[in-house]
Amino acid sequence: MLIKAWMWSMCAERGIEMSTKKIQPTEPEPLPEVEEYLKVGQAAKTMHCSATSVYRLARTGVIPAFMYAGMVRIPRSALHAWLKANTTNPL
């Protein structure tokens, strides 16, 4: 309490107006979406096939993939979209 009274008096001496109004918190801006990339083994588990099959599908351009630092990477959202478009539901 003593410090608060001292601050008020110092501000009054210098002509600074202190406010007792509380600052309302604002909503933080949403973080930008970051694309997640799968390794071949992760994509193989998702697709229920072998890593060799994933490499073959990526090499022939059947599934969306790219090379990064000598490794094949598959965008997760693109793979899920491809699976949805190319998979039939069993009866």
Side-chain angles (χ1 to χ4, degrees), residues 13-90:
E13 287 176 10
R14 295 189 173 117
I16 300 171
E17 222 176 289
M18 286 192 60
S19 174
T20 57
K21 183 172 68 172
K22 291 186 178 185
I23 297 172
Q24 296 296 322
T26 59
E27 287 293 320
E29 291 185 28
L31 294 173
E33 293 272 337
V34 177
E35 181 74 37
E36 187 174 347
Y37 300 102
L38 300 174
K39 296 178 183 177
V40 171
Q42 295 168 320
K45 281 185 179 179
T46 302
M47 297 172 67
H48 302 286
C49 66
S50 69
T52 304
S53 296
V54 174
Y55 279 117
R56 187 179 67 249
L57 293 169
R59 186 178 59 248
T60 57
V62 175
I63 60 172
F66 63 95
M67 293 289 287
Y68 175 76
M71 296 176 282
V72 175
R73 294 288 187 245
I74 300 117
R76 180 186 295 271
S77 59
L79 180 64
H80 283 259
W82 182 85
L83 286 171
K84 188 175 181 180
N86 294 289
T87 305
T88 58
N89 293 328

